[in-house]
Amino acid sequence: MNIGVLALQGDFAEHIATLRRLGAQTAEVRLPKDLDGLDGLIIPGGESTTIGKLAVAYDLMEPLRQFGREKAIWGTCAGAIFLSKDARRDQPLLGLMDITVLRNAFGAQVDSFEADLHIEALKQATQTEAPYHAVFIRAPIIESVSGSAEILSALPDGRIVAAQQGKLLATSFHPELTDDTRFHQYFLSLANA
Ligand code: GLN
């Protein structure tokens, strides 16, 4: 497996470290040619407006859309926003996933929180029962999914925090900031499918 991590801004180094722990080859993606030969791509957390503006500046928008039509892409937090088709404000979006997101839905940085989630797809893929401990930092919620996008996980109050559409994944939270590698394992299985 050769997995790229979009390295324009945000916590790409943490994703690369987790992928290496799982034995994947990794590449930092900054230019369109960096996508060549990759099996999948992770778009990290950070600031979605900044990631979008830099992607426009580096002529990455169309190459990323083309990549996502065939291969696996996973966006965490800001990356999930960038994958969406609607963030309810004007900013560059890939529009690959049929999800509408609401940015900073839980408030400011101080309102960051952690929660245990039950994610059936993850349990099945990794043959484990333990809940998934998720870290939310100025996180978006996924307000709605449409088309062929499906809900992967929601908070107890019903707010959606993970979605999947074929080989595309969006999570409001940051699996790269914990020791639990199950979400990255799950993504590798999609990239390998
Ligand atoms: N609040 C950021 C945004 O709207 C996302 C935060 C994050 O990636 N942790 O882009």
Side-chain angles (χ1 to χ4, degrees), residues 126-148:
T126 60
Q127 311 263 302
T128 54
E129 276 304 319
Y132 189 82
H133 191 72
V135 176
F136 294 83
I137 303 168
R138 281 221 305 143
I141 57 167
I142 300 169
E143 280 190 309
S144 61
V145 303
S146 59
S148 52

Side-chain angles (χ1 to χ4, degrees), residues 45-49 76-78 81 103-104 137-138 174:
E47 189 56 50
S48 59
T49 314
T76 58
C77 203
I81 297 166
R103 291 179 61 183
N104 305 325
I137 303 168
R138 281 221 305 143
H174 289 273

Side-chain angles (χ1 to χ4, degrees), residues 31-182:
L31 295 169
K33 66 171 171 50
D34 299 334
L35 293 167
D36 294 348
L38 297 179
D39 302 301
L41 177 76
I42 295 178
I43 305 175
E47 189 56 50
S48 59
T49 314
T50 307
I51 293 172
K53 284 181 181 166
L54 290 170
V56 170
Y58 291 114
D59 289 326
L60 272 163
M61 296 297 281
E62 271 317 308
L64 287 172
R65 289 185 181 120
Q66 190 56 44
F67 188 89
R69 285 184 203 114
E70 293 160 20
K71 306 230 170 105
I73 303 185
W74 173 21
T76 58
C77 203
I81 297 166
F82 190 45
L83 272 179
S84 75
K85 67 169 188 196
D86 186 357
R88 303 240 254 106
R89 52 187 273 172
D90 193 20
Q91 66 183 81
L93 298 174
L94 293 176
L96 282 167
M97 283 188 78
D98 293 326
I99 57 174
T100 297
V101 299
L102 178 62
R103 291 179 61 183
N104 305 325
F106 301 96
Q109 194 87 11
V110 291
D111 300 312
S112 297
F113 66 101
E114 303 184 11
D116 282 334
L117 301 175
H118 293 277
I119 308 176
E120 209 39 55
L122 200 67
K123 289 184 183 176
Q124 280 178 21
T126 60
Q127 311 263 302
T128 54
E129 276 304 319
Y132 189 82
H133 191 72
V135 176
F136 294 83
I137 303 168
R138 281 221 305 143
I141 57 167
I142 300 169
E143 280 190 309
S144 61
V145 303
S146 59
S148 52
E150 290 173 284
I151 298 169
L152 266 194
S153 185
L155 293 169
D157 64 10
R159 286 183 289 183
I160 305 164
V161 290
Q164 180 171 349
Q165 183 170 357
K167 292 184 171 199
L168 304 174
L169 267 183
T171 57
S172 298
F173 46 90
H174 289 273
E176 73 283 13
L177 297 182
T178 69
D179 285 336
D180 191 337
T181 56
R182 285 180 292 165

